[in-house]
Amino acid sequence: MSANACSEAYPPTGVEAVPSRERLRIVHCFRSPVGGIFRHVRDLCDAQRAAGHEVGIICDSTTGGSYEASLIADLEPRLSLGVKRTPMQRHIGLGDLTAARRAYGVVREMRPDVLHGHGAKGGVYARVFGTLMRMSGQRPARIYSPHGGSLHYAAQTATGRFFFSIERMMDRLTDHILFVSDYERRTFEQKVGIPRAPSTLVYNGLTADEFDPVETLSQAADFLYIGMMRDLKGPDLFIDALSLTQRLIDRRLTAVMVGDGDDLDRYRHQAQELGFGERIRFLPAMPARNAFSLARIMVVPSRAEAMPYIVLEALAAGRTLIASAVGGIPEIFGEDSPALTRPDADAIAGKMQLALDDEAAFHALMPGTADLRMRFGADVMAATIETAYRASLDTKR
């Protein structure tokens, strides 16, 4: 899908792209430098820097491990506005006021033309900071990418109602919303309301080298999980489904689980309780393409997603994949793909058994790389996002 096709499908309302190609000062604001949001921001930074823009990042200094620290160390020298890290707490509380005041001072000194907030916390910070900066003479475009974020909460819960009321208030301070999937756009409209701000659908994108196939190691495990070690991503479902599959096929299975998180010890204990011993290896976060070779079949058992990079990366690398039919994942596979499953241990186990019965036939169910290149290219993503930036800047002139 070209950039024009994407804009035609979900066009910005009431604005047109600006032909001017002047250099922009772009600051990306988000909380946690881990997972898909961080991957998305890194890709955007590289594409925007290559296009001649001055780019910087502000994010939390208390999250992420050694792997994320190495990614930041590699990225920072390439960004003219640098990587600024300051404590940002995950949940709303009194400490937020101090954290926000400190972060605002950092952002203001960076003097952005575009302030792009990612995720719930980054989105609030970017839009509030951008509004305050307008009061003092600066006029940054206030861009918001939800990336799932608060949209994962149920609408009928007190927590959900609280966060959606904040989203409605923030909508008035927003110049443009970028949705990473049609599912995310629909969910926003259902839970928050039709946004007043212009919006565009822009899928996450992959670079050309990510379409090179990854070979499986000769001593590879049966199944692979890659992701944050938290229940939202379903590592507990993966372990339970693996145990159920063993009973279905009457054979001992092996697995590798790659990732970090506060709940890691709980999943280790779960695996031990189910008798896996060393047959489930837990490894720290690493580059996804390094992990792909460690097992023959990958499982993404998430309970909720927006548009996960790990699914796109795995398919582009030619991997065999079972994935939950949540968020934007069906937009990648097609709604009726047999590779999709409910985020339920029994359902996942059924797909695991199906994949093991005939691995070649199951692999043939994966989307073709030509289609993936057309719809999920990093060049398409970056061009569409820059069009949104310039349209937002034009409305302020």
Side-chain angles (χ1 to χ4, degrees):
M1 178 170 57
S2 67
N4 287 337
C6 181
S7 296
E8 288 169 6
Y10 302 100
T13 307
V15 295
E16 295 180 358
V18 182
S20 172
R21 306 303 300 174
E22 71 268 19
R23 176 183 296 181
L24 300 175
R25 293 175 66 88
I26 302 166
V27 173
H28 294 278
C29 178
F30 58 102
R31 190 188 68 84
S32 182
V34 299
I37 288 182
F38 189 31
R39 158 68 201 263
H40 180 79
V41 171
R42 297 198 313 273
D43 285 351
L44 272 182
C45 286
D46 280 334
Q48 291 164 352
R49 179 185 59 84
H53 302 303
E54 297 182 71
V55 186
I57 284 173
I58 178 168
C59 65
D60 180 38
S61 60
T62 65
T63 53
S66 58
Y67 174 59
E68 287 77 20
S70 69
L71 292 176
I72 290 173
D74 178 64
L75 178 64
E76 185 168 16
R78 306 200 297 271
L79 303 184
S80 58
L81 301 183
V83 176
K84 313 297 184 183
R85 302 192 68 182
T86 184
M88 298 180 185
Q89 62 187 52
R90 180 177 181 180
H91 299 291
I92 294 175
L94 293 177
D96 241 359
L97 296 175
T98 301
R101 187 181 302 113
R102 185 168 46 237
Y104 174 61
V106 173
V107 170
R108 193 175 170 188
E109 289 181 0
M110 298 170 85
R111 297 181 295 107
D113 299 308
V114 175
L115 188 49
H116 189 162
H118 302 264
K121 182 60 65 73
V124 170
Y125 275 18
R127 289 175 287 179
V128 170
F129 294 172
T131 301
L132 291 173
M133 291 167 70
R134 291 183 176 200
M135 297 177 182
S136 60
Q138 299 183 49
R139 294 187 59 79
R142 301 161 300 180
I143 310 298
Y144 174 43
S145 292
H147 297 286
S150 60
L151 300 181
H152 290 320
Y153 290 105
Q156 65 272 22
T157 64
T159 302
R161 290 194 297 271
F162 172 72
F163 280 110
F164 301 147
S165 67
I166 293 177
E167 289 282 7
R168 282 188 282 273
M169 287 189 292
M170 289 295 103
D171 188 26
R172 298 177 179 272
L173 309 181
T174 308
D175 295 311
H176 208 109
I177 302 177
L178 299 171
F179 294 113
V180 297
S181 67
D182 188 45
Y183 166 84
E184 184 177 68
R185 179 189 63 81
R186 296 194 313 269
T187 301
F188 190 97
E189 292 181 357
Q190 291 165 3
K191 294 183 177 181
V192 179
I194 296 175
R196 297 161 55 96
S199 65
T200 302
L201 169 66
V202 50
Y203 286 130
N204 291 335
L206 302 176
T207 57
D209 58 347
E210 291 180 283
F211 287 90
D212 294 335
V214 171
E215 297 297 324
T216 306
L217 295 176
S218 59
Q219 299 300 315
D222 297 303
F223 291 99
L224 172 68
Y225 169 87
I226 306 175
M228 295 178 66
M229 294 297 177
R230 54 185 297 216
D231 283 354
L232 186 73
K233 299 299 183 180
D236 58 320
L237 298 178
F238 176 83
I239 297 168
D240 282 342
L242 196 69
S243 180
L244 290 169
T245 306
Q246 286 191 145
R247 295 203 292 271
L248 288 170
I249 66 173
D250 194 25
R251 176 163 72 84
R252 289 157 65 90
L253 296 174
T254 59
V256 177
M257 299 185 69
V258 177
D260 300 315
D262 294 340
D263 295 327
L264 176 58
D265 286 343
R266 177 157 59 86
Y267 303 131
R268 289 183 187 273
H269 180 72
Q270 179 185 357
Q272 291 296 324
E273 286 288 301
L274 290 172
F276 281 105
E278 298 302 315
R279 288 185 295 113
I280 294 183
R281 284 200 297 152
F282 288 85
L283 301 177
M286 66 178 73
R289 290 178 64 85
N290 292 355
F292 290 155
S293 64
L294 301 178
R296 302 191 312 280
I297 302 166
M298 183 171 156
V299 181
V300 178
S302 301
R303 291 179 167 91
E305 288 287 358
M307 177 56 73
Y309 265 104
I310 194 65
V311 172
L312 296 173
E313 291 175 273
L315 292 173
R319 311 309 295 168
T320 302
L321 195 62
I322 296 166
S324 294
V326 298
I329 293 177
E331 295 172 49
I332 305 171
F333 283 86
E335 296 284 345
D336 300 322
S337 171
L340 297 176
T341 179
R342 299 190 315 277
D344 168 86
D346 288 304
I348 296 168
K351 296 296 181 178
M352 287 178 162
Q353 181 185 21
L354 181 64
L356 290 171
D357 284 346
D358 191 335
E359 293 188 31
F362 197 86
H363 180 75
L365 302 173
M366 301 301 108
T369 54
D371 176 64
L372 292 172
R373 285 177 187 269
M374 182 176 65
R375 295 193 293 141
F376 302 102
D379 54 344
V380 175
M381 176 183 72
T384 306
I385 288 175
E386 182 169 335
T387 296
Y389 287 174
R390 295 190 181 278
S392 300
L393 288 166
D394 186 45
T395 62
K396 303 192 289 85
R397 294 176 180 175

